[in-house]
Amino acid sequence: MALSSTLSRLNLIPRPWLPYTVTTLRALKLKPHKPQLLRPMWAPLTLSSFSVSAQIHRPQDDNLIVLGIETSCDDTAAAVVRSSGEILSQVVSSQADLLVRYGGVAPKMAEEAHSQVIDQVVQEALNQANVSETNLSAVAVTIGPGLSLCLRVGVQKARKTAGSFNLPIIGVHHMEAHALVARLMERELQFPFMALLISGGHNLLILAQGLGQYIQLGTSIDDAIGEAYDKTAKWLGLDMRRSGGPAIEELAREGDAESIKFSIPMKQHKDCNFSYAGLKTQVRLAIESRNINAEIPISCASSQDRRTRADIAASFQRVAVLHLEERCERAIEWALKIEPSIKHLVVSGGVASNQYVRAHLDQVVKRNSLQLVCPPPSLCTDNGVMVAWTGIEHFRMGRFDPPPPAVESEDFVYDLRPRWPLGEEYAEGRSEARSLRKARIHPSLTSIIQASLQQQH
Ligand code: KG4
Ligand code: ZN
C-alpha cells in the first residue's frame, strides 16, 4: 500500500476547533514527576498488584499537556490536549483504501498500516500543537478493547515516547474515551450521566456514576450497529472510502424509509441489550431478492436501481435507529431509578456522527426531560483527542503508570486488553437473551478501580 494514500486524511482534520494560544507553552512544562512514588495503574492482569496512587500524587494542574494515541481499530490517531480543555492538535490517518479492498478491517493489514504511519502521525500531532515531547506531562494510549495487533502498535509507540522522555503513561479504555470526550466539550457535564456508545465494534448503554465507575445497562449480544451500517453499504455497492455509515446516511435521504418492513430486533426482550445480526440478515435477503448487483457501484446504477437501493438504505436505517430508541427509553427509566439526578444522555462513537441518529435520539431524550450531548463528528469517530482527554481525567486522579525504561527489553509483554468490559452489568437488566461470548480476558475497568480503592481504605 502506498504510504501517500494511507496518509490522505492526515491534514484534513481542521486545526483545533477550540480557541487556543501556544505562547505560554514553555512556562507550562511541568515539574518532573517522582516516578518512585507512583504505582502502576495498569498492572498486568492480577488485581492484587493494582493500585491507585491518588493519595500519593495528584496532578491537579490545569496546565497539563497530554499526548493521546489511538490505534485500536483502523484509524491511526494522535492528538495533543491541554487539561484546560484546549485541543492543541488532532491528526487522523485512516485506512480507507484497505476498507475498500477488504470490505472490513483485516487485522494483519491494519497492523501493517498502523506501523507505517504511527511515527508520522504522532510527529504531526506534536508539530501541529507546536510542542515537543519535552513539553508533555504524560502520554495516554488506548490499551483495549480492540484488535491486539493494532493496539500493540500504539502502545509500543507510547511506551517508546514515554520511556525516552521520562513521562508517565496512562492506559485508556477505548469506550470510556468515547464517553468522556463529551466532558471535554461540555464542561458542565457532571457525573452521573448516561451514555449510549455506538461504534463499529460496540453498542453500549452505560450509567456513568463517576470517573471509572460505570454500570452497564445494555450491550450488543452479537453485531454492533456500525457493523450493520458497513455491511449494508457494502452489499448495496456504496462507496466505502469513508466507511459504510456516512454512505448509508447520505443515500437514505433519497429513499422511502417505510417501503420495506424490516422487523425491529429483540422486541420481545424487555431489556437494554442490542442485536444487529438479525437485521443484517433481513437486509441481505431484501437485497438478494431485488437482484441488486453490488459489483455495479451506485454511481453507475440506473435510476430505478438507485431508487431501490435508497429505499433499502432508508428502511434499514429507520429500523436500526428504532432499536436504539427503544433501548434508550428503557435505559433512561432504569437509570433514573438508580440515579434520579441524571440530566444528560451522551451519544458518542462513530455512528453518533449520523444526523438521523442524533435527531431521533434527541426526541427520546426530550420526552424524558433530559438533554442530549453529542460530540462533533470528528470527536465521535475514533480520534486521539478522546484518548488524551481520558488520560488527563485519570492522571488528575493519580491513576497512571510510571515512565517505562528508556530501552525496553525485547521480550517485554505489553498489557493489551482486546476484550475488556467497561463496567459491571446491571443485575436487574440481565436477560436470558444474552448469548454473549463470555470469555473475559480482563476484569472490567470499574471492578479494577473499585478493588484498588478498597485496598486504599
Ligand atoms: O467509533 P468508530 O470510529 O470506530 C470503532 O470504535 O468502531 O466507529 C466506526 C463506525 C463504522 O462502523 C462507521 O460505519 C460508523 O462508525 N459511522 C457511521 C457514520 N460515521 C461513522 N455510521 C452511521 N452514520 C455515520 N454518519
Ligand atoms: Zn471507537
Side-chain angles (χ1 to χ4, degrees):
M1 179 189 31
L3 196 57
S4 57
S5 65
T6 321
L7 278 167
S8 57
R9 256 179 73 204
L10 201 64
N11 293 312
L12 292 184
I13 298 291
R15 296 280 292 176
W17 49 273
L18 291 174
Y20 70 95
T21 55
V22 288
T23 47
T24 52
L25 282 180
R26 285 219 155 271
L28 297 180
K29 187 169 181 307
L30 293 170
K31 289 175 227 96
H33 299 290
K34 295 181 184 151
Q36 72 277 16
L37 291 180
L38 311 178
R39 309 236 190 99
M41 171 184 181
W42 311 109
L45 296 181
T46 50
L47 275 181
S48 55
S49 60
F50 163 77
S51 104
V52 172
S53 47
Q55 286 159 356
I56 306 165
H57 185 101
R58 261 178 191 270
Q60 290 286 9
D61 199 325
D62 227 23
N63 285 329
L64 304 169
I65 300 178
V66 172
L67 166 70
I69 299 177
E70 159 63 44
T71 62
S72 67
C73 192
D74 57 339
D75 288 321
T76 316
V80 179
V81 178
R82 198 182 277 176
S83 49
S84 62
E86 288 175 44
I87 299 171
L88 299 180
S89 66
Q90 181 180 4
V91 178
V92 181
S93 168
S94 62
Q95 302 173 4
D97 47 355
L98 290 182
L99 270 183
V100 173
R101 203 176 323 152
Y102 297 101
V105 183
K108 197 76 192 105
M109 301 295 164
E111 176 201 22
E112 209 178 297
H114 283 305
S115 302
Q116 280 182 14
V117 299
I118 186 74
D119 288 344
Q120 292 163 71
V121 167
V122 168
Q123 193 56 53
E124 180 69 15
L126 294 169
N127 293 350
Q128 272 190 24
N130 207 6
V131 298
S132 77
E133 289 89 341
T134 54
N135 299 115
L136 297 173
S137 317
V139 179
V141 61
T142 303
I143 60 170
L147 301 166
S148 286
L149 288 173
C150 298
L151 290 165
R152 169 179 300 279
V153 177
V155 170
Q156 200 165 28
K157 177 67 183 175
R159 291 187 68 87
K160 211 166 141 202
T161 308
S164 308
F165 294 89
N166 199 34
L167 298 166
I169 189 159
I170 310 140
V172 168
H173 191 295
H174 182 82
M175 299 312 286
E176 184 185 37
H178 271 307
L180 292 189
V181 76
R183 275 164 56 84
L184 163 67
M185 306 281 317
E186 196 67 58
R187 304 310 290 274
E188 304 296 298
L189 180 63
Q190 302 291 337
F191 295 106
F193 60 87
M194 288 179 68
L196 169 70
L197 307 175
I198 37 182
S199 67
H202 297 89
N203 265 53
L204 269 184
L205 255 168
I206 55 164
L207 166 55
Q209 295 181 298
L211 184 64
Q213 308 291 319
Y214 307 104
I215 297 177
Q216 180 185 294
L217 302 169
T219 186
S220 29
I221 64 167
D222 43 50
D223 294 327
I225 184 169
E227 156 72 13
Y229 266 94
D230 290 337
K231 282 293 174 331
T232 302
K234 186 181 165 201
W235 296 331
L236 287 177
L238 307 192
D239 180 355
M240 299 287 288
R241 272 175 298 182
R242 289 176 303 149
S243 78
I248 292 284
E249 179 178 12
E250 214 172 290
L251 183 64
R253 291 199 194 103
E254 298 172 26
D256 174 3
E258 306 281 345
S259 58
I260 304 165
K261 303 285 178 219
F262 295 126
S263 53
I264 303 173
M266 295 183 83
K267 266 290 207 197
Q268 69 282 20
H269 297 288
K270 307 291 179 209
D271 59 35
C272 296
N273 293 319
F274 302 89
S275 162
Y276 282 94
L279 180 57
K280 253 172 63 179
T281 306
Q282 291 183 64
V283 169
R284 187 172 51 75
L285 294 175
I287 291 172
E288 281 170 12
S289 70
R290 284 162 182 79
N291 294 322
I292 289 164
N293 183 358
E295 302 284 305
I296 302 173
I298 183 95
S299 51
C300 303
S302 68
S303 62
Q304 176 55 41
D305 188 357
R306 185 182 177 95
R307 173 83 211 180
T308 310
R309 295 189 204 201
D311 285 348
I312 294 172
S315 303
F316 155 74
Q317 178 163 261
R318 177 178 159 271
V319 171
V321 175
L322 270 172
H323 186 31
L324 293 182
E325 291 175 55
E326 281 190 2
R327 281 12 220 180
C328 281
E329 283 277 5
R330 183 171 295 117
I332 291 171
E333 222 175 89
W334 289 2
L336 285 173
K337 267 196 262 165
I338 309 168
E339 295 275 7
S341 64
I342 288 171
K343 304 226 168 8
H344 297 98
L345 172 70
V346 169
V347 183
S348 185
V351 183
S353 35
N354 182 302
Q355 295 304 324
Y356 179 93
V357 171
R358 287 176 183 225
H360 282 254
L361 292 173
D362 194 42
Q363 288 169 13
V364 174
V365 161
K366 286 209 174 99
R367 273 202 297 278
N368 289 279
S369 308
L370 300 181
Q371 260 177 281
L372 191 75
V373 179
C374 250
S378 68
L379 297 183
C380 278
T381 46
D382 288 351
N383 64 84
V385 173
M386 67 183 197
V387 178
W389 178 253
T390 303
I392 287 168
E393 293 237 33
H394 281 288
F395 193 55
R396 280 191 185 129
M397 297 297 286
R399 298 184 188 133
F400 48 86
D401 270 350
V407 182
E408 203 127 60
S409 80
E410 294 255 319
D411 54 0
F412 184 79
V413 180
Y414 295 117
D415 179 16
L416 308 173
R417 305 175 177 195
R419 289 265 217 49
W420 188 18
L422 181 56
E424 291 301 296
E425 201 178 350
Y426 178 48
E428 288 172 47
R430 284 214 181 102
S431 89
E432 69 290 357
R434 294 197 52 195
S435 61
L436 218 53
R437 288 164 297 175
K438 283 281 180 198
R440 274 192 177 189
I441 300 172
H442 298 282
S444 75
L445 173 68
T446 297
S447 68
I448 294 174
I449 288 180
Q450 269 165 0
S452 75
L453 290 173
Q454 274 159 15
Q455 262 181 21
Q456 283 184 356
H457 293 130

